Amino acid sequence: MKKSGAITQKQFLFSVFCFLLSSPFFIAILFKRAKHESWIIMLLGGIIGFAISYMVMTLYNMNKGRELVGICRAAVGKTAGSIIAALYLIFFLIKICINTAQFSGFLSSNVLPNTPVAIIIVTFLLACTLSAKRGAVNICGFAFWFVLPIIIYTLTSTVLLSGQFKLSNFFPMLSLDSGSYLKAALTVVAEPFANLAIFLMLFNES
């Protein structure tokens, strides 16, 4: 971490990677519906999502120093930009509630079954507030240490389970209708990549 307090490119990379890694936790319901075709949905959603992220980053680079409202207004005009920014703010507030509820529900059901949900929620929000108060630089400085064990676990699991892989599990392919794939892919886009647009605002001035 730089003494100047700036976020390095490596910290930025691992922070975004860490951010995206958390998204399957919130879209696990898609895996139950799509089953063996989940990879198609994730691939399609990833292509659309990265295209949108590229456009968002292009707008950020063209409007350095501006916040989300200012960028929206500069891109599509004052009135339309204000409406888009307001919709995004509503979406962001809803996602805060949904993510907090899902995270606390997961901990309450699987990790801390004897702890009241209210205590988990309050503790989680206090931790988020304290992290935000200390600044994004400190948070991003730990991103690598969150990503590293996940990479090690994934590679180890892949090697140990490689003997059980069966290509036949990929079939039948494209058994769902096109509308189902599109709806599911847009869900993938909305969860990690729409949230990522807010997250990337941290690096708008870097």
Side-chain angles (χ1 to χ4, degrees), residues 22-50:
S22 65
S23 59
F25 175 80
F26 299 105
I27 57 177
I29 188 173
L30 293 178
F31 303 146
K32 295 181 180 180
R33 295 179 179 177
K35 297 181 180 179
H36 64 282
E37 294 190 272
S38 299
W39 68 274
I40 299 177
I41 295 173
M42 295 298 294
L43 179 62
L44 180 60
I47 293 174
I48 299 174
F50 277 114

PDB file of all heavy atoms in Angstrom, residues 22-50:
ATOM      1  N   SER A  22     -18.102 -12.413  -4.701  1.00  0.00           N
ATOM      2  CA  SER A  22     -19.192 -12.515  -3.726  1.00  0.00           C
ATOM      3  C   SER A  22     -20.556 -12.653  -4.388  1.00  0.00           C
ATOM      4  O   SER A  22     -21.527 -13.047  -3.739  1.00  0.00           O
ATOM      5  CB  SER A  22     -19.200 -11.271  -2.829  1.00  0.00           C
ATOM      6  OG  SER A  22     -19.511 -10.105  -3.580  1.00  0.00           O
ATOM      7  N   SER A  23     -20.643 -12.356  -5.693  1.00  0.00           N
ATOM      8  CA  SER A  23     -21.944 -12.338  -6.351  1.00  0.00           C
ATOM      9  C   SER A  23     -22.639 -13.693  -6.429  1.00  0.00           C
ATOM     10  O   SER A  23     -23.868 -13.751  -6.314  1.00  0.00           O
ATOM     11  CB  SER A  23     -21.821 -11.739  -7.755  1.00  0.00           C
ATOM     12  OG  SER A  23     -20.925 -12.488  -8.545  1.00  0.00           O
ATOM     13  N   PRO A  24     -21.922 -14.836  -6.644  1.00  0.00           N
ATOM     14  CA  PRO A  24     -22.644 -16.119  -6.696  1.00  0.00           C
ATOM     15  C   PRO A  24     -23.435 -16.423  -5.436  1.00  0.00           C
ATOM     16  O   PRO A  24     -24.422 -17.163  -5.488  1.00  0.00           O
ATOM     17  CB  PRO A  24     -21.514 -17.142  -6.903  1.00  0.00           C
ATOM     18  CG  PRO A  24     -20.450 -16.375  -7.608  1.00  0.00           C
ATOM     19  CD  PRO A  24     -20.515 -14.995  -7.011  1.00  0.00           C
ATOM     20  N   PHE A  25     -23.031 -15.853  -4.307  1.00  0.00           N
ATOM     21  CA  PHE A  25     -23.766 -16.065  -3.061  1.00  0.00           C
ATOM     22  C   PHE A  25     -25.194 -15.541  -3.182  1.00  0.00           C
ATOM     23  O   PHE A  25     -26.132 -16.101  -2.608  1.00  0.00           O
ATOM     24  CB  PHE A  25     -23.032 -15.359  -1.903  1.00  0.00           C
ATOM     25  CG  PHE A  25     -23.763 -15.400  -0.600  1.00  0.00           C
ATOM     26  CD1 PHE A  25     -23.728 -16.530   0.188  1.00  0.00           C
ATOM     27  CD2 PHE A  25     -24.500 -14.304  -0.162  1.00  0.00           C
ATOM     28  CE1 PHE A  25     -24.410 -16.575   1.400  1.00  0.00           C
ATOM     29  CE2 PHE A  25     -25.174 -14.340   1.040  1.00  0.00           C
ATOM     30  CZ  PHE A  25     -25.126 -15.475   1.828  1.00  0.00           C
ATOM     31  N   PHE A  26     -25.379 -14.457  -3.945  1.00  0.00           N
ATOM     32  CA  PHE A  26     -26.684 -13.819  -4.050  1.00  0.00           C
ATOM     33  C   PHE A  26     -27.488 -14.268  -5.268  1.00  0.00           C
ATOM     34  O   PHE A  26     -28.657 -13.945  -5.382  1.00  0.00           O
ATOM     35  CB  PHE A  26     -26.512 -12.292  -4.101  1.00  0.00           C
ATOM     36  CG  PHE A  26     -25.857 -11.724  -2.875  1.00  0.00           C
ATOM     37  CD1 PHE A  26     -24.534 -11.308  -2.906  1.00  0.00           C
ATOM     38  CD2 PHE A  26     -26.549 -11.628  -1.686  1.00  0.00           C
ATOM     39  CE1 PHE A  26     -23.926 -10.795  -1.767  1.00  0.00           C
ATOM     40  CE2 PHE A  26     -25.953 -11.118  -0.541  1.00  0.00           C
ATOM     41  CZ  PHE A  26     -24.635 -10.699  -0.588  1.00  0.00           C
ATOM     42  N   ILE A  27     -26.863 -15.006  -6.179  1.00  0.00           N
ATOM     43  CA  ILE A  27     -27.597 -15.475  -7.357  1.00  0.00           C
ATOM     44  C   ILE A  27     -27.616 -16.995  -7.418  1.00  0.00           C
ATOM     45  O   ILE A  27     -27.796 -17.590  -8.477  1.00  0.00           O
ATOM     46  CB  ILE A  27     -26.984 -14.905  -8.665  1.00  0.00           C
ATOM     47  CG1 ILE A  27     -25.508 -15.288  -8.776  1.00  0.00           C
ATOM     48  CG2 ILE A  27     -27.161 -13.409  -8.728  1.00  0.00           C
ATOM     49  CD1 ILE A  27     -24.877 -14.823 -10.084  1.00  0.00           C
ATOM     50  N   ALA A  28     -27.439 -17.627  -6.253  1.00  0.00           N
ATOM     51  CA  ALA A  28     -27.408 -19.090  -6.207  1.00  0.00           C
ATOM     52  C   ALA A  28     -28.719 -19.706  -6.665  1.00  0.00           C
ATOM     53  O   ALA A  28     -28.749 -20.858  -7.123  1.00  0.00           O
ATOM     54  CB  ALA A  28     -27.078 -19.554  -4.786  1.00  0.00           C
ATOM     55  N   ILE A  29     -29.822 -18.963  -6.556  1.00  0.00           N
ATOM     56  CA  ILE A  29     -31.121 -19.495  -6.969  1.00  0.00           C
ATOM     57  C   ILE A  29     -31.129 -19.844  -8.458  1.00  0.00           C
ATOM     58  O   ILE A  29     -31.839 -20.750  -8.897  1.00  0.00           O
ATOM     59  CB  ILE A  29     -32.250 -18.486  -6.642  1.00  0.00           C
ATOM     60  CG1 ILE A  29     -33.619 -19.136  -6.894  1.00  0.00           C
ATOM     61  CG2 ILE A  29     -32.095 -17.214  -7.484  1.00  0.00           C
ATOM     62  CD1 ILE A  29     -34.771 -18.267  -6.447  1.00  0.00           C
ATOM     63  N   LEU A  30     -30.320 -19.157  -9.263  1.00  0.00           N
ATOM     64  CA  LEU A  30     -30.253 -19.449 -10.694  1.00  0.00           C
ATOM     65  C   LEU A  30     -29.689 -20.845 -10.934  1.00  0.00           C
ATOM     66  O   LEU A  30     -30.081 -21.531 -11.876  1.00  0.00           O
ATOM     67  CB  LEU A  30     -29.387 -18.412 -11.409  1.00  0.00           C
ATOM     68  CG  LEU A  30     -29.926 -16.978 -11.453  1.00  0.00           C
ATOM     69  CD1 LEU A  30     -28.927 -16.075 -12.152  1.00  0.00           C
ATOM     70  CD2 LEU A  30     -31.263 -16.936 -12.169  1.00  0.00           C
ATOM     71  N   PHE A  31     -28.752 -21.272 -10.085  1.00  0.00           N
ATOM     72  CA  PHE A  31     -28.131 -22.573 -10.268  1.00  0.00           C
ATOM     73  C   PHE A  31     -29.146 -23.700 -10.042  1.00  0.00           C
ATOM     74  O   PHE A  31     -29.055 -24.759 -10.653  1.00  0.00           O
ATOM     75  CB  PHE A  31     -26.942 -22.728  -9.317  1.00  0.00           C
ATOM     76  CG  PHE A  31     -25.911 -21.652  -9.467  1.00  0.00           C
ATOM     77  CD1 PHE A  31     -25.199 -21.191  -8.374  1.00  0.00           C
ATOM     78  CD2 PHE A  31     -25.655 -21.076 -10.706  1.00  0.00           C
ATOM     79  CE1 PHE A  31     -24.249 -20.198  -8.513  1.00  0.00           C
ATOM     80  CE2 PHE A  31     -24.710 -20.082 -10.851  1.00  0.00           C
ATOM     81  CZ  PHE A  31     -24.005 -19.638  -9.750  1.00  0.00           C
ATOM     82  N   LYS A  32     -30.113 -23.443  -9.165  1.00  0.00           N
ATOM     83  CA  LYS A  32     -31.134 -24.457  -8.909  1.00  0.00           C
ATOM     84  C   LYS A  32     -32.086 -24.591 -10.088  1.00  0.00           C
ATOM     85  O   LYS A  32     -32.575 -25.686 -10.367  1.00  0.00           O
ATOM     86  CB  LYS A  32     -31.907 -24.091  -7.642  1.00  0.00           C
ATOM     87  CG  LYS A  32     -31.068 -24.104  -6.372  1.00  0.00           C
ATOM     88  CD  LYS A  32     -31.904 -23.753  -5.158  1.00  0.00           C
ATOM     89  CE  LYS A  32     -31.061 -23.764  -3.899  1.00  0.00           C
ATOM     90  NZ  LYS A  32     -31.865 -23.408  -2.687  1.00  0.00           N
ATOM     91  N   ARG A  33     -32.339 -23.491 -10.769  1.00  0.00           N
ATOM     92  CA  ARG A  33     -33.273 -23.517 -11.895  1.00  0.00           C
ATOM     93  C   ARG A  33     -32.601 -23.992 -13.181  1.00  0.00           C
ATOM     94  O   ARG A  33     -33.143 -24.798 -13.929  1.00  0.00           O
ATOM     95  CB  ARG A  33     -33.878 -22.127 -12.100  1.00  0.00           C
ATOM     96  CG  ARG A  33     -34.742 -21.662 -10.939  1.00  0.00           C
ATOM     97  CD  ARG A  33     -35.287 -20.261 -11.192  1.00  0.00           C
ATOM     98  NE  ARG A  33     -36.139 -19.813 -10.102  1.00  0.00           N
ATOM     99  CZ  ARG A  33     -36.696 -18.606 -10.038  1.00  0.00           C
ATOM    100  NH1 ARG A  33     -36.484 -17.729 -11.026  1.00  0.00           N
ATOM    101  NH2 ARG A  33     -37.450 -18.261  -9.015  1.00  0.00           N
ATOM    102  N   ALA A  34     -31.415 -23.466 -13.465  1.00  0.00           N
ATOM    103  CA  ALA A  34     -30.733 -23.797 -14.716  1.00  0.00           C
ATOM    104  C   ALA A  34     -29.934 -25.094 -14.624  1.00  0.00           C
ATOM    105  O   ALA A  34     -29.634 -25.713 -15.636  1.00  0.00           O
ATOM    106  CB  ALA A  34     -29.810 -22.657 -15.127  1.00  0.00           C
ATOM    107  N   LYS A  35     -29.542 -25.472 -13.406  1.00  0.00           N
ATOM    108  CA  LYS A  35     -28.804 -26.714 -13.149  1.00  0.00           C
ATOM    109  C   LYS A  35     -27.536 -26.797 -14.015  1.00  0.00           C
ATOM    110  O   LYS A  35     -26.669 -25.955 -13.924  1.00  0.00           O
ATOM    111  CB  LYS A  35     -29.728 -27.910 -13.367  1.00  0.00           C
ATOM    112  CG  LYS A  35     -30.909 -27.937 -12.411  1.00  0.00           C
ATOM    113  CD  LYS A  35     -31.790 -29.134 -12.624  1.00  0.00           C
ATOM    114  CE  LYS A  35     -32.964 -29.121 -11.657  1.00  0.00           C
ATOM    115  NZ  LYS A  35     -33.871 -30.271 -11.848  1.00  0.00           N
ATOM    116  N   HIS A  36     -27.436 -27.824 -14.879  1.00  0.00           N
ATOM    117  CA  HIS A  36     -26.198 -28.041 -15.621  1.00  0.00           C
ATOM    118  C   HIS A  36     -25.948 -26.986 -16.687  1.00  0.00           C
ATOM    119  O   HIS A  36     -24.859 -26.937 -17.269  1.00  0.00           O
ATOM    120  CB  HIS A  36     -26.223 -29.432 -16.284  1.00  0.00           C
ATOM    121  CG  HIS A  36     -27.292 -29.580 -17.319  1.00  0.00           C
ATOM    122  ND1 HIS A  36     -28.609 -29.794 -16.993  1.00  0.00           N
ATOM    123  CD2 HIS A  36     -27.237 -29.533 -18.684  1.00  0.00           C
ATOM    124  CE1 HIS A  36     -29.323 -29.880 -18.106  1.00  0.00           C
ATOM    125  NE2 HIS A  36     -28.528 -29.732 -19.142  1.00  0.00           N
ATOM    126  N   GLU A  37     -26.933 -26.108 -16.950  1.00  0.00           N
ATOM    127  CA  GLU A  37     -26.753 -25.048 -17.946  1.00  0.00           C
ATOM    128  C   GLU A  37     -26.448 -23.698 -17.305  1.00  0.00           C
ATOM    129  O   GLU A  37     -26.484 -22.669 -17.985  1.00  0.00           O
ATOM    130  CB  GLU A  37     -27.996 -24.950 -18.826  1.00  0.00           C
ATOM    131  CG  GLU A  37     -28.224 -26.179 -19.691  1.00  0.00           C
ATOM    132  CD  GLU A  37     -29.318 -25.966 -20.716  1.00  0.00           C
ATOM    133  OE1 GLU A  37     -30.486 -26.216 -20.381  1.00  0.00           O
ATOM    134  OE2 GLU A  37     -28.999 -25.536 -21.833  1.00  0.00           O
ATOM    135  N   SER A  38     -26.134 -23.710 -16.036  1.00  0.00           N
ATOM    136  CA  SER A  38     -25.827 -22.456 -15.344  1.00  0.00           C
ATOM    137  C   SER A  38     -24.624 -21.756 -15.961  1.00  0.00           C
ATOM    138  O   SER A  38     -24.552 -20.525 -15.984  1.00  0.00           O
ATOM    139  CB  SER A  38     -25.566 -22.730 -13.859  1.00  0.00           C
ATOM    140  OG  SER A  38     -26.696 -23.282 -13.231  1.00  0.00           O
ATOM    141  N   TRP A  39     -23.665 -22.536 -16.458  1.00  0.00           N
ATOM    142  CA  TRP A  39     -22.461 -21.935 -17.038  1.00  0.00           C
ATOM    143  C   TRP A  39     -22.786 -21.107 -18.270  1.00  0.00           C
ATOM    144  O   TRP A  39     -22.121 -20.101 -18.541  1.00  0.00           O
ATOM    145  CB  TRP A  39     -21.446 -23.027 -17.381  1.00  0.00           C
ATOM    146  CG  TRP A  39     -21.857 -23.933 -18.491  1.00  0.00           C
ATOM    147  CD1 TRP A  39     -22.624 -25.060 -18.401  1.00  0.00           C
ATOM    148  CD2 TRP A  39     -21.524 -23.787 -19.873  1.00  0.00           C
ATOM    149  NE1 TRP A  39     -22.798 -25.623 -19.632  1.00  0.00           N
ATOM    150  CE2 TRP A  39     -22.132 -24.874 -20.563  1.00  0.00           C
ATOM    151  CE3 TRP A  39     -20.779 -22.874 -20.605  1.00  0.00           C
ATOM    152  CZ2 TRP A  39     -22.013 -25.053 -21.939  1.00  0.00           C
ATOM    153  CZ3 TRP A  39     -20.654 -23.047 -21.983  1.00  0.00           C
ATOM    154  CH2 TRP A  39     -21.266 -24.117 -22.625  1.00  0.00           C
ATOM    155  N   ILE A  40     -23.809 -21.509 -19.026  1.00  0.00           N
ATOM    156  CA  ILE A  40     -24.208 -20.742 -20.205  1.00  0.00           C
ATOM    157  C   ILE A  40     -24.749 -19.384 -19.782  1.00  0.00           C
ATOM    158  O   ILE A  40     -24.425 -18.343 -20.372  1.00  0.00           O
ATOM    159  CB  ILE A  40     -25.273 -21.506 -21.021  1.00  0.00           C
ATOM    160  CG1 ILE A  40     -24.719 -22.837 -21.515  1.00  0.00           C
ATOM    161  CG2 ILE A  40     -25.761 -20.667 -22.197  1.00  0.00           C
ATOM    162  CD1 ILE A  40     -25.715 -23.682 -22.274  1.00  0.00           C
ATOM    163  N   ILE A  41     -25.565 -19.385 -18.729  1.00  0.00           N
ATOM    164  CA  ILE A  41     -26.143 -18.150 -18.219  1.00  0.00           C
ATOM    165  C   ILE A  41     -25.057 -17.231 -17.666  1.00  0.00           C
ATOM    166  O   ILE A  41     -25.055 -16.022 -17.915  1.00  0.00           O
ATOM    167  CB  ILE A  41     -27.195 -18.461 -17.147  1.00  0.00           C
ATOM    168  CG1 ILE A  41     -28.376 -19.209 -17.779  1.00  0.00           C
ATOM    169  CG2 ILE A  41     -27.666 -17.195 -16.451  1.00  0.00           C
ATOM    170  CD1 ILE A  41     -29.382 -19.715 -16.798  1.00  0.00           C
ATOM    171  N   MET A  42     -24.113 -17.813 -16.912  1.00  0.00           N
ATOM    172  CA  MET A  42     -23.025 -17.017 -16.354  1.00  0.00           C
ATOM    173  C   MET A  42     -22.149 -16.439 -17.461  1.00  0.00           C
ATOM    174  O   MET A  42     -21.708 -15.293 -17.375  1.00  0.00           O
ATOM    175  CB  MET A  42     -22.188 -17.887 -15.413  1.00  0.00           C
ATOM    176  CG  MET A  42     -22.930 -18.370 -14.174  1.00  0.00           C
ATOM    177  SD  MET A  42     -23.467 -17.012 -13.116  1.00  0.00           S
ATOM    178  CE  MET A  42     -21.888 -16.377 -12.561  1.00  0.00           C
ATOM    179  N   LEU A  43     -21.911 -17.231 -18.507  1.00  0.00           N
ATOM    180  CA  LEU A  43     -21.094 -16.751 -19.623  1.00  0.00           C
ATOM    181  C   LEU A  43     -21.786 -15.618 -20.362  1.00  0.00           C
ATOM    182  O   LEU A  43     -21.175 -14.577 -20.645  1.00  0.00           O
ATOM    183  CB  LEU A  43     -20.805 -17.912 -20.583  1.00  0.00           C
ATOM    184  CG  LEU A  43     -19.976 -17.572 -21.830  1.00  0.00           C
ATOM    185  CD1 LEU A  43     -18.597 -17.071 -21.429  1.00  0.00           C
ATOM    186  CD2 LEU A  43     -19.847 -18.788 -22.738  1.00  0.00           C
ATOM    187  N   LEU A  44     -23.074 -15.789 -20.657  1.00  0.00           N
ATOM    188  CA  LEU A  44     -23.836 -14.753 -21.348  1.00  0.00           C
ATOM    189  C   LEU A  44     -23.946 -13.492 -20.497  1.00  0.00           C
ATOM    190  O   LEU A  44     -23.744 -12.376 -20.996  1.00  0.00           O
ATOM    191  CB  LEU A  44     -25.238 -15.275 -21.694  1.00  0.00           C
ATOM    192  CG  LEU A  44     -26.176 -14.310 -22.421  1.00  0.00           C
ATOM    193  CD1 LEU A  44     -25.572 -13.880 -23.749  1.00  0.00           C
ATOM    194  CD2 LEU A  44     -27.539 -14.962 -22.653  1.00  0.00           C
ATOM    195  N   GLY A  45     -24.252 -13.682 -19.220  1.00  0.00           N
ATOM    196  CA  GLY A  45     -24.339 -12.530 -18.320  1.00  0.00           C
ATOM    197  C   GLY A  45     -23.008 -11.829 -18.163  1.00  0.00           C
ATOM    198  O   GLY A  45     -22.948 -10.599 -18.070  1.00  0.00           O
ATOM    199  N   GLY A  46     -21.910 -12.614 -18.150  1.00  0.00           N
ATOM    200  CA  GLY A  46     -20.584 -12.012 -18.027  1.00  0.00           C
ATOM    201  C   GLY A  46     -20.220 -11.164 -19.234  1.00  0.00           C
ATOM    202  O   GLY A  46     -19.663 -10.077 -19.100  1.00  0.00           O
ATOM    203  N   ILE A  47     -20.560 -11.658 -20.430  1.00  0.00           N
ATOM    204  CA  ILE A  47     -20.272 -10.892 -21.650  1.00  0.00           C
ATOM    205  C   ILE A  47     -21.032  -9.567 -21.652  1.00  0.00           C
ATOM    206  O   ILE A  47     -20.459  -8.501 -21.918  1.00  0.00           O
ATOM    207  CB  ILE A  47     -20.649 -11.724 -22.892  1.00  0.00           C
ATOM    208  CG1 ILE A  47     -19.731 -12.944 -23.014  1.00  0.00           C
ATOM    209  CG2 ILE A  47     -20.558 -10.875 -24.156  1.00  0.00           C
ATOM    210  CD1 ILE A  47     -20.119 -13.898 -24.115  1.00  0.00           C
ATOM    211  N   ILE A  48     -22.330  -9.632 -21.328  1.00  0.00           N
ATOM    212  CA  ILE A  48     -23.131  -8.402 -21.283  1.00  0.00           C
ATOM    213  C   ILE A  48     -22.629  -7.480 -20.175  1.00  0.00           C
ATOM    214  O   ILE A  48     -22.492  -6.267 -20.356  1.00  0.00           O
ATOM    215  CB  ILE A  48     -24.618  -8.735 -21.056  1.00  0.00           C
ATOM    216  CG1 ILE A  48     -25.156  -9.590 -22.198  1.00  0.00           C
ATOM    217  CG2 ILE A  48     -25.443  -7.457 -20.921  1.00  0.00           C
ATOM    218  CD1 ILE A  48     -26.572 -10.091 -21.982  1.00  0.00           C
ATOM    219  N   GLY A  49     -22.329  -8.077 -19.027  1.00  0.00           N
ATOM    220  CA  GLY A  49     -21.895  -7.286 -17.880  1.00  0.00           C
ATOM    221  C   GLY A  49     -20.571  -6.580 -18.105  1.00  0.00           C
ATOM    222  O   GLY A  49     -20.421  -5.401 -17.765  1.00  0.00           O
ATOM    223  N   PHE A  50     -19.608  -7.286 -18.697  1.00  0.00           N
ATOM    224  CA  PHE A  50     -18.313  -6.661 -18.953  1.00  0.00           C
ATOM    225  C   PHE A  50     -18.429  -5.566 -20.011  1.00  0.00           C
ATOM    226  O   PHE A  50     -17.709  -4.560 -19.955  1.00  0.00           O
ATOM    227  CB  PHE A  50     -17.295  -7.714 -19.391  1.00  0.00           C
ATOM    228  CG  PHE A  50     -16.665  -8.447 -18.242  1.00  0.00           C
ATOM    229  CD1 PHE A  50     -16.892  -9.801 -18.054  1.00  0.00           C
ATOM    230  CD2 PHE A  50     -15.856  -7.777 -17.333  1.00  0.00           C
ATOM    231  CE1 PHE A  50     -16.328 -10.475 -16.988  1.00  0.00           C
ATOM    232  CE2 PHE A  50     -15.278  -8.438 -16.267  1.00  0.00           C
ATOM    233  CZ  PHE A  50     -15.515  -9.796 -16.087  1.00  0.00           C
TER     234      PHE A  50
END
